[in-house]
Amino acid sequence: MKYDFESIVDRRNSGSFKYQQMYEWNPNVSKEIIPFSVADMELKNPPEIIKGLQEYLEDVVLGYTKATRAYFDSVINWMKRRHDWEIRDEWIVGAPGVVHAFFTAIKGLTEPGNGIIIMTPVYYPFYRAIESNGRRVVKNPLKNSNGRYEIDFDDLERKAMDPNNKILLFCSPHNPVGRVWTKNELARVSEICIKNGVLVVSDEIHFDFVMPGYDHSVYAEISDDARENCIVCTAPSKTFNLAGMQTSNIIIPNEEIRNSYIAENDKCGQFTLNILGYKACEIAYNSCEEWLEQLLELVHHNHVILKKYFEEHIPQIKVYDLEGTYLQWLDFRGLGMKEKELENFLHLKAELFLDEGYIFGREGSGFERMNLACPTKYLVEGLNRLKCALAEI
């Protein structure tokens, strides 16, 4: 079956965060323009999910609901089939989102004043999860080496040796720079963290998005020791555009760590998930694999189109190779604009709505993150607007 990745849904007045944000930035933007910012897709959901939920709603009672055997099986089978990762029922802890899981892990497994290590520039809720809970952000900046980001292991080891630094909040694949970490890189991270008593909370929400030529390794599969020293945060939300279902699968193999996490979760009164989220996850993992395969082709195609476009028309903007995620990291510093000048130019002149690099930390200043999970037609239209706006100045 060939899926529809050319049509979009009119999301104006739907409560969509990214559309409301776009109209706040520029109230006069044309209704034909889509934003390329927040990481949900400008694509229809898999039809199997829509049909499956419709059929489910015919007979279901929307009452208090716990995870079912069918739900657990769908998650376990997906991890084995897509990631060669064997997990157990008891390892799976439900969460309304991976961000919720970051907050819970930090509160339940560290003390106020402890340091949390992050590899910057990085997904901006990492900062909020740390700072809003009275912990310290400890930066281990990625090294930009000849146009490719790498982990600074010497600096990571120095930070990990500080006994006050308790968690590495790790992003794999990395958002926003698009790196898929190799097994050797993951093994080195694990070695450093285990030696120094640092727990790894691995955000792997994008682990189903890996581009041709790259392989993702689940952090917990690096070694037995790594498995016992980690929390792996996963979800169907990015993979199948289900963020609004607020259903994530947090995998915690170590019983002691899992019990501490659950104890903290209990303090918030969170004990079950959205009934339709459970079912949507089950349908997605059981019936939507071919949809994902075609989506991966679209994302890679859009990356190739975008890279060629900038090389031919706007070479001042550097395009980073996309190894994983559907989020393109772009270096706009060649335009010579300051942060707010660039932001205003994009929003008001080019009518191009991206995520500003500085929201990922100081190391992202002058960069932009662009969402490629959209019909190619709209991507090219956005690039043409940018080219024309630059020509005018």
Side-chain angles (χ1 to χ4, degrees), residues 15-260:
S16 165
F17 180 88
K18 68 201 294 189
Y19 276 79
Q20 290 184 343
Q21 183 185 61
M22 177 174 71
Y23 288 115
E24 289 171 4
W25 284 335
N26 185 346
N28 300 314
V29 68
S30 166
K31 66 180 182 179
E32 288 79 25
I33 289 176
I34 67 170
F36 302 94
S37 51
V38 176
D40 59 19
M41 304 179 198
E42 293 309 308
L43 300 167
K44 293 181 177 180
N45 286 106
E48 292 87 352
I49 294 177
I50 304 303
K51 184 182 180 198
L53 289 177
Q54 289 171 339
E55 292 173 353
Y56 181 63
L57 285 167
E58 289 292 331
D59 299 308
V60 72
V61 173
L62 299 174
Y64 295 113
T65 303
K66 295 183 71 175
T68 64
R69 179 71 259 159
Y71 168 80
F72 281 119
D73 285 346
S74 70
V75 176
I76 290 168
N77 291 338
W78 182 263
M79 299 305 173
K80 177 59 179 173
R81 196 165 65 249
R82 298 294 298 191
H83 299 284
D84 196 25
W85 184 25
E86 293 187 6
I87 65 172
R88 303 174 187 169
D89 295 18
E90 63 267 25
W91 296 0
I92 304 171
V93 183
V98 298
V99 174
H100 181 277
F102 307 157
F103 276 71
T104 303
I106 287 169
K107 288 187 292 183
L109 293 156
T110 68
E111 299 293 334
N114 283 163
I116 312 297
I117 304 169
I118 57 175
M119 296 179 180
T120 56
V122 75
Y123 183 46
Y124 47 90
F126 279 23
Y127 297 91
R128 193 166 73 246
I130 298 166
E131 294 171 335
S132 67
N133 286 304
R135 277 63 170 176
R136 293 183 303 105
V137 170
V138 179
K139 290 187 175 185
N140 168 222
L142 296 174
K143 296 189 294 185
N144 194 336
S145 179
N146 296 318
R148 188 170 189 258
Y149 284 90
E150 297 176 351
I151 297 171
D152 186 338
F153 290 109
D154 291 338
D155 182 66
L156 175 61
E157 189 152 31
R158 284 193 294 272
K159 303 292 171 57
M161 288 173 64
D162 183 338
N164 196 49
N165 296 337
K166 300 298 186 180
I167 283 179
L168 168 63
L169 192 47
F170 189 54
C171 204
S172 177
H174 193 280
N175 173 14
V177 308
R179 271 298 317 277
V180 172
W181 308 116
T182 66
K183 284 186 177 181
N184 287 339
E185 287 172 315
L186 295 173
R188 182 74 177 118
V189 169
S190 174
E191 176 190 346
I192 291 170
C193 289
I194 290 169
K195 182 172 69 174
N196 293 285
V198 174
L199 175 68
V200 176
V201 178
S202 185
D203 172 13
E204 304 196 22
I205 195 169
H206 290 278
F207 72 163
D208 290 318
F209 288 95
V210 179
M211 296 299 104
Y214 299 95
D215 293 302
H216 174 82
S217 298
V218 175
Y219 183 84
E221 283 291 273
I222 293 302
S223 68
D224 292 345
D225 289 339
R227 183 182 65 241
E228 294 302 311
N229 187 54
C230 73
I231 295 173
V232 179
C233 303
T234 79
S237 52
K238 289 290 183 274
T239 308
F240 299 103
N241 211 21
L242 297 173
M245 286 294 182
Q246 297 188 323
T247 299
S248 297
N249 306 303
I250 311 307
I251 316 299
I252 313 177
N254 182 298
E255 184 177 8
E256 182 179 353
I257 295 171
R258 185 168 64 250
N259 288 340
S260 295

Side-chain angles (χ1 to χ4, degrees), residues 36 298-315 317-322 326-332 352 354 368-372 374 376 379-380 382-383 386:
F36 302 94
L298 171 71
V299 173
H300 182 249
H301 174 72
N302 283 349
H303 167 69
V304 171
I305 291 288
L306 176 141
K307 189 168 186 177
K308 183 178 180 182
Y309 190 99
F310 279 110
E311 287 173 351
E312 292 181 355
H313 301 290
I314 319 175
I317 297 174
K318 178 177 175 51
V319 179
Y320 281 75
D321 286 336
L322 185 65
Y326 55 77
L327 304 167
Q328 178 66 64
W329 192 235
L330 301 163
D331 185 349
F332 275 69
L352 189 66
L354 314 176
E368 299 284 337
R369 191 190 75 173
M370 187 173 195
N371 186 335
L372 300 184
C374 64
T376 304
L379 172 67
V380 173
L383 298 177
L386 175 60

Side-chain angles (χ1 to χ4, degrees), residues 253-272:
N254 182 298
E255 184 177 8
E256 182 179 353
I257 295 171
R258 185 168 64 250
N259 288 340
S260 295
Y261 177 96
I262 292 172
E264 183 61 40
N265 214 33
D266 288 346
K267 294 177 185 178
C268 304
Q270 191 265 311
F271 62 94
T272 189

